[in-house]
Amino acid sequence: MIDFDFVAPTKIYFGRGKESRVGEILALERAQIVLIVYGSNRIRETGLLGEVESHLLEKGISYRELSGIRPNPVAEKVREGVALARKENVDYVLAIGGGSVIDTAKAIAAGFYYGGDPFDFNLKKAQVEKALPVGAILTLASAGSEGSNSCVIQDDALGIKQGFNSDLVRPRFAIENPELTFSCPTYQTFAGISDIIMHSLERYFDPGEGDELSDEWALDLIKDTIQAARCLLCSPSDYSARAKVMLNSTLSHNGLTGLGKQFFFVVHPLEHALSGYAPKITHGAGVALIWPAWAAVKRKENQAKLAKLGRRVFDIVGHNDEETSIIAIGSMRDFFISIGMPKTLNELGLSESDIDPLVNLATGNRTRVIGCYPQSLEAEDVMEIFSRLLKTKE
């Protein structure tokens, strides 16, 4: 286990009806003019947005709104939000939604004080030095952005989807009422679950020594989330299962399951290339598709950990690590398919002709390696991973 500094300052208000406290919370935060950021009109149709607006007005807090945030959020909306926030002299940003909305709120908060293009942070041309405070009301359990310092944005003009990290944009608070996820579309619910699992899977496969404690946390969270997902397949409004998924969303990406590790995500950059290339692809679906192919390509390097994953999460009893690791990859792939995630790139509208552009996008035209040794991916590895995802004859 390496030395580390750990901070998880986001205050979580968890449970039924906690959104009713948003005015009280923002008053304690001394907010005066709040920018509410959200996606579709679903939150107005459910009555949530109107309730939030009423609670703010009760506390004498005014608000402005930025709507229309799409999945795979775009830099164009961030720029629009920064301009609006400056014009209205906003002093707090409140996201109502899932990871795309929260990441947009974070990018606006960071861009507010920055003189250049806010996408510069994502391009690693600048670092965040000051940001507006951010809060979140979670309506989709998925990205864990409500408790993380990560912010992933896409620039459609550049065809680049990339993230930056800064504790200055980590939300000050997150309101998490599992009932708010009941109206979430089924596909988005399970794509979100795939992303939750992947955040801890990526951390688990860090090869560091002496990391048994965080490995155990990661495996427990993955298994708990899979069990909750299976329950939701039969009972979509099961409060307990929704609660587990929502809390696991936060804990899977706030750093806890990678504590003491110097981990490098490898599947996520491949998916960022995928949904950057084809923005209609849902991020959670993309990582669920890619992970089994990555695991197959890198099975020998990760054989012991794959076997442990199989035994702990899927109760696999194999004769040895090699056999168990192979079964574990198949079991995870079968689980993703069982919750409606794609089997092939072809299902997402892509074909063999798209492989070269995807590899070039993921590797900066084959000029960079993804991750870090021994988990690093060369362009040839990336080619093999994406090629494995093409439809083959049954």
Side-chain angles (χ1 to χ4, degrees):
M1 182 179 292
I2 64 171
D3 295 343
F4 61 87
D5 296 323
F6 179 63
V7 59
T10 305
K11 186 168 183 178
I12 299 172
Y13 298 85
F14 192 95
R16 294 178 176 89
K18 288 298 178 75
E19 64 276 12
S20 66
R21 296 185 60 186
V22 64
E24 167 196 343
I25 294 165
L26 285 168
L28 290 172
E29 290 281 310
R30 300 184 184 279
Q32 295 182 322
I33 306 175
V34 173
L35 177 62
I36 301 174
V37 181
Y38 64 97
S40 70
N41 282 330
R42 183 170 67 92
I43 64 166
R44 187 173 291 282
E45 292 167 357
T46 61
L48 175 59
L49 183 58
E51 181 183 354
V52 170
E53 293 167 342
S54 296
H55 291 312
L56 296 189
L57 293 176
E58 286 172 3
K59 294 295 182 180
I61 300 170
S62 63
Y63 60 86
R64 310 294 185 267
E65 295 179 359
L66 178 70
S67 63
I69 309 305
R70 74 172 204 199
N72 296 317
V74 290
E76 181 181 1
K77 273 294 182 180
V78 174
R79 297 179 187 116
E80 181 183 343
V82 169
L84 177 61
R86 288 173 177 166
K87 177 184 176 183
E88 300 296 334
N89 201 26
V90 163
D91 58 14
Y92 215 103
V93 186
L94 175 66
I96 307 178
S100 296
V101 172
I102 300 171
D103 280 3
T104 301
K106 289 177 175 180
I108 292 169
F112 184 84
Y113 292 107
Y114 178 61
D117 183 358
F119 198 66
D120 285 350
F121 300 125
N122 300 80
L123 293 175
K124 308 297 190 290
K125 291 182 178 180
Q127 292 186 338
V128 181
E129 296 181 356
K130 187 178 181 181
L132 291 171
V134 177
I137 299 177
L138 194 60
T139 64
L140 170 62
S142 176
S145 189
E146 68 278 0
S148 81
N149 66 358
S150 175
C151 177
V152 179
I153 300 293
Q154 176 161 327
D155 190 313
D156 282 349
L158 298 176
I160 294 174
K161 180 180 179 181
Q162 198 158 294
F164 72 85
N165 296 81
S166 171
D167 283 327
L168 292 173
V169 299
R170 197 187 292 261
R172 299 279 291 271
F173 70 88
I175 294 173
E176 302 187 11
N177 174 3
E179 292 180 332
L180 297 181
T181 68
F182 285 4
S183 62
C184 184
T186 300
Y187 185 76
Q188 293 298 329
T189 294
F190 289 108
I193 285 170
S194 300
D195 198 22
I196 293 167
I197 291 169
M198 195 57 55
H199 286 148
S200 284
L201 268 181
E202 293 261 48
R203 290 173 167 90
Y204 170 71
F205 282 100
D206 175 87
E209 297 181 2
D211 51 17
E212 292 83 3
L213 183 58
S214 53
D215 277 0
E216 295 302 313
W217 289 337
L219 291 172
D220 284 343
L221 187 148
I222 292 165
K223 186 170 186 175
D224 188 60
T225 305
I226 287 174
Q227 290 173 342
R230 288 171 172 160
C231 178
L232 291 176
L233 283 172
C234 301
S235 305
S237 296
D238 185 289
Y239 180 86
S240 178
R242 290 276 181 177
K244 288 180 180 181
V245 169
M246 180 168 268
L247 188 55
N248 286 348
S249 167
T250 305
L251 298 180
S252 194
H253 203 32
N254 73 348
L256 181 66
T257 58
L259 207 60
K261 297 183 175 187
Q262 188 176 2
F263 64 88
F264 294 88
F265 281 7
V266 288
V267 174
H268 273 74
L270 298 183
E271 196 293 319
H272 289 166
L274 179 61
S275 55
Y277 182 73
K280 290 184 179 180
I281 295 174
T282 301
H283 171 69
V287 290
L289 172 64
I290 293 168
W291 184 86
W294 166 83
V297 170
K298 289 293 182 177
R299 187 189 62 78
K300 291 183 179 179
E301 295 92 326
N302 294 290
Q303 182 168 282
K305 283 208 163 184
L306 280 164
K308 184 177 180 180
L309 170 73
R311 295 185 185 105
R312 283 287 309 281
V313 175
F314 296 105
D315 300 318
I316 296 168
V317 180
H319 292 96
N320 51 50
D321 280 1
E322 180 179 14
E323 180 183 44
T324 307
S325 67
I326 293 170
I327 299 172
I329 295 170
S331 297
M332 186 63 75
R333 181 176 183 270
D334 289 346
F335 165 73
F336 285 139
I337 293 171
S338 76
I339 60 173
M341 295 301 100
K343 300 178 185 178
T344 66
L345 286 170
N346 308 78
E347 291 178 40
L348 301 175
L350 302 182
S351 63
E352 188 173 358
S353 63
D354 298 301
I355 299 298
D356 275 337
L358 284 172
V359 174
N360 290 335
L361 191 57
T363 62
N365 291 317
R366 305 176 189 244
T367 63
R368 64 173 180 260
V369 173
I370 295 173
C372 186
Y373 179 84
Q375 294 289 26
S376 54
L377 298 175
E378 303 282 350
E380 292 76 12
D381 299 314
V382 178
M383 172 71 76
E384 183 177 357
I385 289 167
F386 280 128
S387 296
R388 280 175 174 263
L389 298 174
L390 293 171
K391 184 178 181 181
T392 56
K393 293 182 180 180
E394 298 292 341

